[in-house]
Short mmCIF file of all heavy atoms in Angstrom, two decimals:
data_model
loop_
_atom_site.label_atom_id
_atom_site.label_comp_id
_atom_site.label_asym_id
_atom_site.label_seq_id
_atom_site.Cartn_x
_atom_site.Cartn_y
_atom_site.Cartn_z
N TYR X 391 0.97 13.10 -19.03
CA TYR X 391 0.57 14.14 -18.07
C TYR X 391 1.78 14.62 -17.27
O TYR X 391 1.96 15.83 -17.08
CB TYR X 391 -0.50 13.59 -17.13
CG TYR X 391 -0.93 14.58 -16.08
CD1 TYR X 391 -1.90 15.54 -16.37
CD2 TYR X 391 -0.36 14.57 -14.80
CE1 TYR X 391 -2.28 16.48 -15.40
CE2 TYR X 391 -0.73 15.49 -13.84
CZ TYR X 391 -1.70 16.45 -14.14
OH TYR X 391 -2.07 17.36 -13.20
N THR X 392 2.61 13.68 -16.82
CA THR X 392 3.80 14.06 -16.05
C THR X 392 4.75 14.91 -16.88
O THR X 392 5.26 15.94 -16.41
CB THR X 392 4.53 12.79 -15.56
OG1 THR X 392 3.66 12.05 -14.70
CG2 THR X 392 5.80 13.15 -14.80
N ALA X 393 4.99 14.50 -18.11
CA ALA X 393 5.91 15.24 -18.97
C ALA X 393 5.38 16.66 -19.24
O ALA X 393 6.15 17.63 -19.20
CB ALA X 393 6.11 14.50 -20.29
N LEU X 394 4.09 16.79 -19.49
CA LEU X 394 3.51 18.10 -19.78
C LEU X 394 3.55 19.01 -18.56
O LEU X 394 3.89 20.20 -18.67
CB LEU X 394 2.07 17.94 -20.27
CG LEU X 394 1.89 17.42 -21.69
CD1 LEU X 394 0.42 17.15 -21.98
CD2 LEU X 394 2.44 18.43 -22.71
N THR X 395 3.18 18.48 -17.40
CA THR X 395 3.18 19.31 -16.20
C THR X 395 4.60 19.72 -15.81
O THR X 395 4.82 20.86 -15.37
CB THR X 395 2.52 18.58 -15.02
OG1 THR X 395 3.13 17.28 -14.84
CG2 THR X 395 1.03 18.40 -15.26
N GLU X 396 5.57 18.82 -15.97
CA GLU X 396 6.96 19.18 -15.66
C GLU X 396 7.49 20.24 -16.63
O GLU X 396 8.21 21.15 -16.22
CB GLU X 396 7.84 17.93 -15.69
CG GLU X 396 7.59 17.00 -14.52
CD GLU X 396 8.45 15.75 -14.57
OE1 GLU X 396 9.12 15.51 -15.59
OE2 GLU X 396 8.45 15.00 -13.57
N LYS X 397 7.11 20.10 -17.90
CA LYS X 397 7.53 21.10 -18.89
C LYS X 397 6.93 22.46 -18.56
O LYS X 397 7.60 23.50 -18.66
CB LYS X 397 7.10 20.65 -20.28
CG LYS X 397 7.60 21.54 -21.41
CD LYS X 397 7.22 20.97 -22.76
CE LYS X 397 7.76 21.86 -23.88
NZ LYS X 397 7.43 21.33 -25.23
N PHE X 398 5.66 22.45 -18.15
CA PHE X 398 4.99 23.70 -17.79
C PHE X 398 5.65 24.34 -16.56
O PHE X 398 5.91 25.55 -16.54
CB PHE X 398 3.51 23.42 -17.50
CG PHE X 398 2.73 24.62 -17.03
CD1 PHE X 398 2.40 25.64 -17.92
CD2 PHE X 398 2.35 24.73 -15.71
CE1 PHE X 398 1.68 26.74 -17.49
CE2 PHE X 398 1.62 25.83 -15.26
CZ PHE X 398 1.30 26.84 -16.16
N LYS X 399 5.95 23.53 -15.53
CA LYS X 399 6.60 24.05 -14.32
C LYS X 399 7.98 24.60 -14.62
O LYS X 399 8.37 25.65 -14.13
CB LYS X 399 6.68 22.95 -13.26
CG LYS X 399 5.35 22.62 -12.61
CD LYS X 399 5.50 21.48 -11.62
CE LYS X 399 4.17 21.09 -11.03
NZ LYS X 399 4.29 19.92 -10.09
N ASN X 400 8.74 23.86 -15.43
CA ASN X 400 10.08 24.32 -15.79
C ASN X 400 10.01 25.63 -16.59
O ASN X 400 10.85 26.53 -16.40
CB ASN X 400 10.81 23.25 -16.61
CG ASN X 400 11.16 22.03 -15.79
OD1 ASN X 400 11.26 22.12 -14.57
ND2 ASN X 400 11.32 20.90 -16.44
N GLY X 401 9.01 25.74 -17.45
CA GLY X 401 8.83 26.97 -18.21
C GLY X 401 8.54 28.15 -17.32
O GLY X 401 9.07 29.25 -17.50
N LYS X 402 7.69 27.93 -16.30
CA LYS X 402 7.36 29.00 -15.35
C LYS X 402 8.58 29.41 -14.55
O LYS X 402 8.79 30.59 -14.27
CB LYS X 402 6.24 28.55 -14.42
CG LYS X 402 4.86 28.52 -15.06
CD LYS X 402 3.79 28.16 -14.04
CE LYS X 402 3.61 29.27 -13.03
NZ LYS X 402 2.51 28.99 -12.09
N GLN X 403 9.40 28.43 -14.15
CA GLN X 403 10.60 28.74 -13.38
C GLN X 403 11.60 29.55 -14.20
O GLN X 403 12.22 30.48 -13.70
CB GLN X 403 11.25 27.44 -12.89
CG GLN X 403 10.46 26.74 -11.79
CD GLN X 403 11.04 25.37 -11.43
OE1 GLN X 403 12.00 24.94 -12.04
NE2 GLN X 403 10.44 24.73 -10.45
N ILE X 404 11.73 29.20 -15.49
CA ILE X 404 12.65 29.94 -16.36
C ILE X 404 12.16 31.38 -16.53
O ILE X 404 12.94 32.33 -16.46
CB ILE X 404 12.78 29.23 -17.72
CG1 ILE X 404 13.52 27.90 -17.56
CG2 ILE X 404 13.51 30.12 -18.72
CD1 ILE X 404 13.50 27.02 -18.78
N LYS X 405 10.85 31.54 -16.73
CA LYS X 405 10.29 32.88 -16.88
C LYS X 405 10.48 33.70 -15.62
O LYS X 405 10.78 34.89 -15.65
CB LYS X 405 8.80 32.80 -17.21
CG LYS X 405 8.51 32.43 -18.66
CD LYS X 405 7.02 32.48 -18.93
CE LYS X 405 6.74 32.15 -20.39
NZ LYS X 405 5.27 32.19 -20.69
N GLY X 406 10.30 33.03 -14.46
CA GLY X 406 10.46 33.74 -13.19
C GLY X 406 11.89 34.17 -12.92
O GLY X 406 12.16 35.13 -12.21
N ALA X 407 12.84 33.41 -13.51
CA ALA X 407 14.26 33.73 -13.28
C ALA X 407 14.76 34.83 -14.20
O ALA X 407 15.79 35.44 -13.96
CB ALA X 407 15.11 32.47 -13.50
#
Side-chain angles (χ1 to χ4, degrees):
Y391 178 84
T392 298
L394 286 173
T395 53
E396 289 179 351
K397 186 176 182 179
F398 177 73
K399 287 178 183 177
N400 291 337
K402 285 184 68 176
Q403 289 173 357
I404 292 170
K405 282 185 179 180

